[in-house]
Amino acid sequence: MTDRPRLSIGLPVYNGEEYLAESFDALLGQTYEDFELVVSDNASTDGTEDICRRYAAKDSRIRYLRLPRNIGATPNHNHVFAESRGELFKWASHDDLYGRDLLERCVAALDERPDVILAHTEQAVVDGAGRVKVPYTYTLATDSPHAPERFRSLLFEPGGDDFYGVMRADVLRRVKPLDSYHHADRTFVAEITLHGAFHQVPELLYFRRDHPTRAERANPSKRSRCVNLDPRRAGPLHPTPRLLAEYVWGFVAAIRRAPLSPADRRACYRHLGAWMTSRVRPGAGERVEDRAPVDPDGVTVSVDALVAGREGRRA
């Protein structure tokens, strides 16, 4: 590996001891090896620090950073990106699983398609044991050559794994950093897609783990989720109406900042207006994780066969 890796992976973590080692095994066992893994420990109080230091001692690609206090999930996500050095960048979650070919396939897609700014793979939601519970068919038109169509699809369709794709770092530096209001990750990805097309690798290689202690489950209200994202959101200055207003304004600001033609900008505003009207309809806030689960025993894909570190777990 060169002094400056081609790809940086940013892994922010807080009290992630339950699944962190599995994610480390999956990432460090990738077939693509020219990367650094920037881990920022948000002042964890469990065994996270010991796990990180143990893995960092074994693999020089890991850069372990420990924060003196919990700054919140959003600032920590932005911190790992600020610390990255690669031409390409990917966020990773401490509790998700990654097929061993994921990085290789995504980097190859970006090399083959200079017009593409983000590459990702097919995904499925898995349970705490790593068994598939919700396979997910990606229906977003983020590969469209037309920015308004990409933007429209991100507004109206349940999101995919776009936030965790492999991205061109120079594009990330041109968009507003991730914020901490309600659904700020959606406005963030929407702004990215206004800069260029995404590409989905047609292979199931990303497994998003849904479990009771995941941040979204442990913080059921909008306010509690936002306080988890950034402790500065606590208190009377950040009531729920403000968090929702910032969410809508985030889309407006993204359109204003993006390098669009006047016609494309107007089209994006029209899509946004239609989306705001549609929010009153039943089912408008559907999440992939909330869909009816399938019987894990009836799923043909083997997570254990695809993910490094899980070989031979089940016969």
Side-chain angles (χ1 to χ4, degrees), residues 133-151:
K133 57 184 288 189
V134 184
Y136 177 53
T137 300
Y138 189 86
T139 59
L140 280 69
T142 52
D143 60 345
S144 171
H146 306 293
E149 177 59 19
R150 299 193 299 268
F151 183 75

Side-chain angles (χ1 to χ4, degrees), residues 72-205:
T74 290
N76 205 21
H77 275 73
N78 291 330
H79 180 57
V80 291
F81 177 58
E83 290 287 335
S84 69
R85 301 175 295 163
E87 165 195 344
L88 306 174
F89 181 81
K90 171 183 168 53
W91 272 293
S93 178
H94 75 274
D95 47 6
D96 291 342
L97 296 171
Y98 314 88
R100 58 175 57 82
D101 293 331
L102 184 148
L103 297 182
E104 183 174 355
R105 297 289 191 268
C106 289
V107 172
L110 291 171
D111 287 343
E112 293 167 8
R113 297 278 305 275
D115 58 310
V116 168
I117 63 171
L118 181 152
H120 55 155
T121 72
E122 293 180 359
Q123 77 166 63
V125 177
V126 298
D127 62 16
R131 298 174 301 177
V132 173
K133 57 184 288 189
V134 184
Y136 177 53
T137 300
Y138 189 86
T139 59
L140 280 69
T142 52
D143 60 345
S144 171
H146 306 293
E149 177 59 19
R150 299 193 299 268
F151 183 75
R152 185 209 63 77
S153 70
L154 280 165
L155 287 172
F156 285 96
E157 297 289 337
D161 64 340
D162 313 87
F163 183 87
Y164 290 102
V166 177
M167 313 176 220
R168 301 193 191 277
D170 63 329
V171 175
L172 274 183
R173 294 187 181 96
R174 296 201 296 269
V175 303
K176 185 178 182 293
L178 181 65
D179 212 318
S180 56
Y181 48 78
H182 177 61
H183 281 339
D185 57 331
R186 289 178 62 85
T187 62
F188 181 73
V189 173
E191 181 167 357
I192 293 172
T193 201
L194 290 175
H195 285 256
F198 298 174
H199 174 76
Q200 185 184 40
V201 176
E203 294 182 52
L204 179 56
L205 295 172

Side-chain angles (χ1 to χ4, degrees), residues 14-298:
Y14 173 71
N15 286 355
E17 66 177 3
E18 186 174 8
Y19 300 112
L20 180 58
E22 290 184 47
S23 289
F24 273 151
D25 289 339
L27 291 168
L28 298 173
Q30 292 286 306
T31 54
Y32 184 87
E33 298 180 341
D34 187 9
F35 66 84
E36 63 174 352
L37 179 53
V38 183
V39 182
S40 180
D41 179 357
N42 209 355
S44 294
T45 57
D46 64 355
T48 293
E49 180 177 6
D50 291 339
I51 295 170
C52 290
R53 293 194 184 281
R54 185 170 75 247
Y55 274 84
K58 296 188 297 185
D59 197 314
S60 62
R61 292 175 296 179
I62 296 177
R63 281 202 288 138
Y64 175 60
L65 313 172
R66 180 171 171 84
L67 300 175
R69 61 181 179 85
N70 186 339
I71 62 174
T74 290
N76 205 21
H77 275 73
N78 291 330
H79 180 57
V80 291
F81 177 58
E83 290 287 335
S84 69
R85 301 175 295 163
E87 165 195 344
L88 306 174
F89 181 81
K90 171 183 168 53
W91 272 293
S93 178
H94 75 274
D95 47 6
D96 291 342
L97 296 171
Y98 314 88
R100 58 175 57 82
D101 293 331
L102 184 148
L103 297 182
E104 183 174 355
R105 297 289 191 268
C106 289
V107 172
L110 291 171
D111 287 343
E112 293 167 8
R113 297 278 305 275
D115 58 310
V116 168
I117 63 171
L118 181 152
H120 55 155
T121 72
E122 293 180 359
Q123 77 166 63
V125 177
V126 298
D127 62 16
R131 298 174 301 177
V132 173
K133 57 184 288 189
V134 184
Y136 177 53
T137 300
Y138 189 86
T139 59
L140 280 69
T142 52
D143 60 345
S144 171
H146 306 293
E149 177 59 19
R150 299 193 299 268
F151 183 75
R152 185 209 63 77
S153 70
L154 280 165
L155 287 172
F156 285 96
E157 297 289 337
D161 64 340
D162 313 87
F163 183 87
Y164 290 102
V166 177
M167 313 176 220
R168 301 193 191 277
D170 63 329
V171 175
L172 274 183
R173 294 187 181 96
R174 296 201 296 269
V175 303
K176 185 178 182 293
L178 181 65
D179 212 318
S180 56
Y181 48 78
H182 177 61
H183 281 339
D185 57 331
R186 289 178 62 85
T187 62
F188 181 73
V189 173
E191 181 167 357
I192 293 172
T193 201
L194 290 175
H195 285 256
F198 298 174
H199 174 76
Q200 185 184 40
V201 176
E203 294 182 52
L204 179 56
L205 295 172
Y206 176 54
F207 304 96
R208 185 168 179 81
R209 199 191 306 256
D210 187 38
H211 55 90
T213 57
R214 192 175 184 95
E216 295 89 341
R217 298 292 188 190
N219 299 280
S221 73
K222 294 179 178 63
R223 279 189 48 77
S224 64
R225 285 195 295 271
C226 292
V227 171
N228 176 70
L229 293 174
D230 191 334
R232 292 172 296 184
R233 290 286 182 181
L237 293 179
H238 297 273
T240 299
R242 173 178 174 173
L243 299 173
L244 293 171
E246 287 188 63
Y247 176 34
V248 175
W249 179 252
F251 286 121
V252 174
I255 296 170
R256 294 177 63 183
R257 286 189 296 265
L260 301 171
S261 69
D264 282 352
R265 205 177 307 277
R266 288 192 298 270
C268 288
Y269 283 131
R270 286 195 298 270
H271 292 320
L272 181 60
W275 171 80
M276 291 175 64
T277 302
S278 76
R279 298 299 292 173
V280 300
R281 300 172 188 165
E286 180 192 24
R287 299 189 319 154
V288 175
E289 291 88 344
D290 296 330
R291 292 177 177 175
V294 299
D295 180 2
D297 294 331

